[in-house]
Amino acid sequence: MTDIDDYLADHSGPHREHMDALREIITRLAPGATETLAWGMPTWKLHGNLIHMAAAKHHVGLYPGADGVAFVSEELAERGFRFSKGTIQLPVDRPIPVDLVERLVTFRVAQQEAKA
């Protein structure tokens, strides 16, 4: 088991479902990224931090950095998702916007690979 597996094992229900879905998207679109825990959160690294996620009371937080949030901020606002400079809240009572997350991860991968 990995550190992320241990983190996920501590969660169930919709939180776990959301995090499993996010993990699948991230690992599919960033196959070269390594999984670890950073700041107590599941983290994917690709030439530095790629993206983090963490369970909260009513949502799963996705942390793609300020550039990542800015990249999808208009669509997040249109869809009614809460976000701040580096954080996106994905409520566990709503489906994950898979298309948006896929575009976000693809953007972040390209951004990080450009650093290499």
Side-chain angles (χ1 to χ4, degrees):
M1 288 186 71
T2 67
D3 289 338
I4 291 180
D5 292 324
D6 292 340
Y7 181 94
L8 294 174
D10 288 338
H11 298 85
S12 61
H15 284 85
R16 176 65 188 261
E17 292 168 12
H18 270 45
M19 290 188 291
D20 284 342
L22 290 168
R23 185 183 198 185
E24 185 280 322
I25 293 167
I26 296 164
T27 57
R28 176 171 40 88
L29 296 175
T34 58
E35 292 185 338
T36 189
L37 282 184
W39 302 283
M41 297 183 287
T43 299
W44 287 263
K45 293 186 175 234
L46 183 68
H47 311 295
N49 289 327
L50 177 69
I51 198 162
H52 314 273
M53 72 174 175
K57 187 171 183 178
H58 300 289
H59 68 273
V60 171
L62 193 61
Y63 306 90
D67 290 346
V69 174
F71 179 71
V72 294
S73 63
E74 287 183 26
E75 190 172 353
L76 289 167
E78 288 170 6
R79 292 187 184 198
F81 286 98
R82 296 182 74 182
F83 61 96
S84 63
K85 182 178 178 181
T87 306
I88 299 168
Q89 293 183 8
L90 300 172
V92 294
D93 63 350
R94 290 180 60 184
I96 290 176
V98 173
D99 58 326
L100 185 145
V101 173
E102 288 175 339
R103 283 193 310 282
L104 174 60
V105 172
T106 300
F107 169 80
R108 288 291 295 130
V109 167
Q111 190 177 44
Q112 290 301 103
E113 287 179 343
K115 289 182 176 182

